[in-house]
Amino acid sequence: MLAKKTQYALKALTYMAEQHSAGPFLIADIGSKKKIPIKFLESILLELKKAGILNSKKGKGGGYFFNQDPSTIQLATIMRLIEGPIALLPCVSLHFYKKCNDCNEKKCGLNKIMKEVRDNTLSILENRTVQDLV
Amino acid sequence: MLAKKTQYALKALTYMAEQHSAGPFLIADIGSKKKIPIKFLESILLELKKAGILNSKKGKGGGYFFNQDPSTIQLATIMRLIEGPIALLPCVSLHFYKKCNDCNEKKCGLNKIMKEVRDNTLSILENRTVQDLV
DNA sequence: CTTTATCCTTCAATTTCAATAGGAAAATAT
DNA sequence: ATATTTTCCTATTGAAATTGAAGGATAAAG
Ligand code: FES
Ligand code: FES
């Protein structure tokens, strides 16, 4: 199960992508519509901004908006950014790999099956974008 | 990423299934071979026993052994038992479902995509057994 | 120069995770 | 009987992560 933080991030992005306008969107609005604690959401959006996904404007008329077209933002990118690894085991992770010191990857059946799961999952999450959420 | 506990459970079962003998296997042996802290492993195996996956015998010559044929134990069963939900969101979980109070499932794109991920994952984890790990 | 809204740091509560301690109970061997 | 082996059970610990709040700094607009 994804951490609440990741769920919130995905929900917030979904909300933003669903709107007809391009923003900017207020933290407070997103939070109240998607039932996300404001202060928690604040830190999440800031993180997405620092990663280049979002941009923001301060002051009246300000808020958050997309820094890239939603159709270019893979869901896998968001999840790796907020959640970390997508794979179920360290030894099958592409971006967060860590060797198993207690078994031989070449012969390990667990490794093989978990790689299969990973490839299946990535084939979805790397081919769907924030735009596909609307 | 799976919790360490779940990883340990899967590794222990893999180890047991890999052996030519049917056991019983000592906690201490499994633990030292798969680099799992003994006391932690102890509680994991006990949990698997209480769930009917394993059985055990005390005293000299005792240890843990399979209570059902490894080819009948789905990996999904182990993971749900130790880890909990396999799905990425509560609203797409089959065994641990919880409604989203902030969006309409029928129209929710996030829900739809995460269901796709779930189905893909389950098609693997429900069709592979502990026997397939060897 | 007031209002609005993000930015940033710090912190606190809670929960979860990982692991250990220590003994009780059961089975076997001597 | 008694000692040894091994699982069973409860309790507890310590560390880390998660979730979230407080409060002020900064920037922009009116
Ligand atoms: S190589 Fe990682 S579980 Fe075997
Ligand atoms: S219904 Fe669960 S995320 Fe939309």
Side-chain angles (χ1 to χ4, degrees):
Chain A
M1 184 84 56
L2 296 177
K4 230 156 201 177
K5 189 176 174 187
T6 314
Q7 298 182 33
Y8 288 159
L10 290 170
K11 288 187 179 193
L13 291 173
T14 303
Y15 176 80
M16 290 173 64
E18 274 171 349
Q19 307 311 323
H20 289 196
S21 126
F25 306 103
L26 299 182
I27 296 173
D29 284 353
I30 302 171
S32 77
K33 288 284 184 4
K34 303 304 283 182
K35 302 237 170 52
I36 305 172
I38 305 294
K39 278 303 207 173
F40 198 8
L41 179 56
E42 194 183 304
S43 71
I44 294 168
L45 295 181
L46 197 54
E47 207 170 330
L48 290 172
K49 174 184 171 162
K50 284 178 177 163
I53 310 288
L54 298 179
N55 203 346
S56 65
K57 227 181 94 184
K58 290 181 182 174
K60 179 135 197 168
Y64 278 95
F65 48 91
F66 285 105
N67 190 43
Q68 353 175 341
D69 194 283
S71 67
T72 69
I73 308 169
Q74 294 178 0
L75 297 186
T77 302
I78 305 299
M79 290 185 42
R80 290 201 179 101
L81 188 63
I82 309 291
E83 180 81 12
I86 290 172
L88 296 178
L89 295 181
C91 63
V92 303
S93 171
L94 294 175
H95 288 66
F96 301 83
Y97 174 81
K98 230 180 136 234
K99 190 163 83 72
C100 279
N101 57 353
D102 57 296
C103 55
N104 177 348
E105 266 178 50
K106 308 274 183 191
K107 298 181 184 170
C108 177
L110 190 53
N111 184 280
K112 196 172 302 182
I113 291 178
M114 289 310 186
K115 258 183 188 148
E116 218 181 315
V117 173
R118 178 205 68 191
D119 288 339
N120 256 276
T121 302
L122 287 186
S123 77
I124 297 175
L125 295 180
E126 288 184 341
N127 287 294
R128 296 286 193 294
T129 68
V130 171
Q131 186 62 52
D132 295 322
L133 292 174
V134 328
Chain B
M1 183 82 57
L2 296 177
K4 229 157 200 178
K5 189 175 174 186
T6 314
Q7 298 181 33
Y8 287 158
L10 290 169
K11 288 188 178 193
L13 291 173
T14 303
Y15 176 80
M16 290 173 64
E18 273 172 350
Q19 305 314 118
H20 289 195
S21 125
F25 306 104
L26 298 182
I27 297 174
D29 284 355
I30 302 171
S32 76
K33 287 285 185 0
K34 303 304 283 180
K35 304 240 170 54
I36 306 172
I38 306 294
K39 279 302 209 174
F40 198 9
L41 179 57
E42 195 183 302
S43 71
I44 295 167
L45 295 181
L46 198 53
E47 207 170 330
L48 290 172
K49 173 184 171 161
K50 284 177 176 164
I53 310 288
L54 299 179
N55 202 347
S56 65
K57 227 183 95 184
K58 290 181 183 176
K60 181 135 197 167
Y64 279 95
F65 48 92
F66 285 106
N67 191 43
Q68 352 175 343
D69 194 283
S71 67
T72 69
I73 308 168
Q74 294 179 359
L75 297 187
T77 302
I78 305 300
M79 289 185 42
R80 290 199 178 103
L81 187 63
I82 308 292
E83 180 82 13
I86 289 171
L88 296 179
L89 294 181
C91 63
V92 302
S93 170
L94 293 175
H95 288 66
F96 302 82
Y97 175 80
K98 231 182 134 231
K99 190 164 83 72
C100 278
N101 57 353
D102 57 294
C103 55
N104 177 348
E105 266 179 50
K106 307 275 184 192
K107 298 181 184 168
C108 177
L110 190 53
N111 183 279
K112 196 172 301 181
I113 291 178
M114 289 309 186
K115 260 184 186 147
E116 217 181 316
V117 172
R118 178 204 68 190
D119 288 339
N120 256 275
T121 301
L122 287 186
S123 77
I124 297 174
L125 296 180
E126 289 184 339
N127 287 294
R128 295 288 191 293
T129 69
V130 170
Q131 186 61 55
D132 295 322
L133 292 174
V134 328

